[in-house]
C-alpha cells in the first residue's frame, strides 16, 4: 500500500512538473507575442537581409503570415522557457539520484543551458549565414528566388535548434561520464555510427544536399563529438582519482 501511494505521489509530482513547464511556455509565448515585431525585424529577419543577393520573402498563402506568426510565438515560447523547463525536470529527477550524483545537478543544468545558447549563437552568426548565402547565391538563369516566409522560418529554426542540441554533447558527455553513466569506450565503439549520424544531420542542414556545404557543416559537428570523447576521458580520470582518495 505504501508503495502504491508513493507511486501515485510520484505521478502527481510529474503532473505538476508538466503543468509548470506548460505555464513557462505560455508565459514565453505571451512575451513573444507582445514583442513579435522586434523579434521578427531584429532577430529572425536579419540573416535574410545579409545574403548576396538579399533574400526576398513572398507570401503566397491565405493564412501564410498567420502561420508564421503562430510558429514564432510557439517556438519562441519553448526556447525562452527552456532554462525554466530544464530546472523543473532536474528537480523531478534529483530525488532518484544517489548522493554523489546530486552534487553535479546544478553544474549539469548550468552547462546544458550554456551549451544550448552557444550552439544557437554559433548557428545564428556562422552556420545560418553560410547556408542562406549559398542558397541565394546559387541562381539558375531566368529564375528569381522568392522565398516563402514559412519556408525561411522552417530553415531558420531547424539550423538554430539542431545546432543548440548538438552543442550540448561535450559537456553533457563529461558530466555523464563523471557520474559513471557514460564511458569513453562506449563513444569510441559507436564512433562510426555517430559519424554517419552527423553526416545525415549536415545533409539536412545543407540546402539542396550540396556535398561541399555538407562537409563544411559536418566538420564542426565531428569536432564536437571528438570533444565529447575527450571530455569523457577527463571525467573518467577524475572519477577514478576521487574513488582512490575515498578508499585510501
Amino acid at each position: 500500500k505504501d508503495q502504491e501511494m508513493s507511486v501515485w505521489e510520484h505521478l502527481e509530482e510529474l503532473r505538476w512538473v508538466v503543468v509548470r513547464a506548460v505555464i513557462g511556455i505560455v508565459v514565453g509565448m505571451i512575451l513573444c507575442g507582445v514583442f513579435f515585431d522586434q523579434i521578427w525585424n531584429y532577430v529572425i529577419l536579419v540573416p535574410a537581409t545579409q545574403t548576396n543577393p538579399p533574400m526576398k520573402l513572398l507570401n503566397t498563402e491565405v493564412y501564410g503570415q498567420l502561420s508564421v506568426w503562430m510558429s514564432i510565438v510557439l517556438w519562441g515560447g519553448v526556447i525562452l522557457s527552456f532554462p525554466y523547463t530544464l530546472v523543473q525536470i532536474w528537480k523531478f529527477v534529483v530525488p532518484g539520484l544517489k548522493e554523489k550524483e546530486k552534487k553535479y545537478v546544478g553544474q549539469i543544468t548550468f552547462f546544458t543551458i550554456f551549451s544550448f545558447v552557444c550552439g544557437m549563437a554559433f548557428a545564428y552568426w556562422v552556420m545560418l549565414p553560410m547556408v542562406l548565402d549559398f542558397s541565394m547565391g546559387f541562381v539558375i538563369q531566368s529564375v528569381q528566388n522568392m522565398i516563402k516566409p514559412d519556408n525561411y522560418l522552417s530553415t531558420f529554426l531547424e539550423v538554430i535548434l539542431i545546432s543548440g542540441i548538438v552543442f550540448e554533447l561535450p559537456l553533457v558527455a563529461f558530466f555523464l561520464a563523471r557520474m559513471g553513466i557514460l564511458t569513453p569506450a562506449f563513444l569510441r565503439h559507436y564512433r562510426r555510427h555517430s559519424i554517419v549520424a552527423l553526416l545525415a544531420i549536415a545533409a539536412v542542414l545543407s540546402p539542396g544536399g550540396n556535398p561541399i556545404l555538407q562537409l563544411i557543416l559536418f566538420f564542426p559537428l565531428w569536432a564536437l563529438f571528438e570533444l565529447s570523447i575527450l571530455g569523457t576521458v577527463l571525467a573518467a580520470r577524475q572519477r577514478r582519482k576521487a574513488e582512490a582518495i575515498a578508499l585510501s
Side-chain angles (χ1 to χ4, degrees):
K1 186 176 179 179
D2 293 338
Q3 186 178 359
E4 185 178 353
M5 287 294 295
S6 65
V7 169
W8 282 111
E9 289 174 358
H10 191 69
L11 291 175
E12 178 68 13
E13 185 179 353
L14 177 60
R15 185 176 73 88
W16 279 107
V17 169
V18 174
V19 169
R20 286 192 289 267
V22 171
I23 291 174
I25 292 174
V26 171
V27 171
M29 290 175 63
I30 293 173
L31 290 175
C32 289
V34 172
F35 296 100
F36 176 83
D37 290 340
Q38 291 82 351
I39 294 172
W40 175 255
N41 292 322
Y42 302 115
V43 179
I44 297 176
L45 200 59
V46 171
T49 61
Q50 295 177 344
T51 60
N52 185 26
M55 182 181 293
K56 296 180 180 179
L57 302 180
L58 177 66
N59 179 50
T60 60
E61 300 177 4
V62 176
Y63 296 108
Q65 297 199 39
L66 177 61
S67 176
V68 169
W69 185 89
M70 293 179 64
S71 295
I72 291 174
V73 169
L74 174 60
W75 283 105
V78 171
I79 293 173
L80 285 178
S81 64
F82 173 71
Y84 174 77
T85 301
L86 187 63
V87 170
Q88 298 305 312
I89 293 173
W90 275 117
K91 284 183 177 180
F92 175 74
V93 172
V94 163
L97 298 177
K98 299 177 181 178
E99 287 300 323
K100 63 178 181 180
E101 296 172 342
K102 290 181 180 179
K103 62 181 180 180
Y104 298 115
V105 170
Q107 299 176 44
I108 293 175
T109 303
F110 170 79
F111 283 116
T112 300
I113 296 171
F114 177 77
S115 300
F116 188 74
V117 172
C118 287
M120 290 195 299
F122 177 79
Y124 186 80
W125 278 292
V126 179
M127 293 180 65
L128 193 61
M130 184 170 57
V131 168
L132 296 178
D133 200 53
F134 178 86
S135 300
M136 298 308 299
F138 188 85
V139 179
I140 299 175
Q141 189 175 5
S142 302
V143 178
Q144 186 177 7
N145 287 324
M146 300 293 286
I147 311 301
K148 294 170 61 177
D150 57 342
N151 182 263
Y152 168 71
L153 180 62
S154 176
T155 301
F156 181 94
L157 291 173
E158 186 177 87
V159 174
I160 293 290
L161 293 175
I162 291 179
S163 179
I165 293 171
V166 172
F167 260 66
E168 293 183 355
L169 286 176
L171 290 172
V172 172
F174 174 84
F175 284 109
L176 289 178
R178 192 69 178 83
M179 293 188 296
I181 299 174
L182 189 64
T183 64
F186 178 86
L187 291 180
R188 291 192 182 109
H189 178 74
Y190 288 100
R191 178 184 267 127
R192 294 181 180 178
H193 304 76
S194 301
I195 290 176
V196 172
L198 294 176
L199 281 170
I201 293 174
V204 170
L205 294 177
S206 58
N210 180 270
I212 297 177
L213 187 58
Q214 182 178 344
L215 288 175
I216 293 174
L217 296 176
F218 164 73
F219 285 114
L221 300 177
W222 187 18
L224 286 170
F225 178 77
E226 295 299 329
L227 283 175
S228 298
I229 296 179
L230 178 61
T232 57
V233 171
L234 296 175
R237 289 178 181 174
Q238 291 182 9
R239 189 166 182 270
R240 288 195 298 268
K241 184 177 180 180
E243 290 175 349
I245 294 174
L247 294 174
S248 61

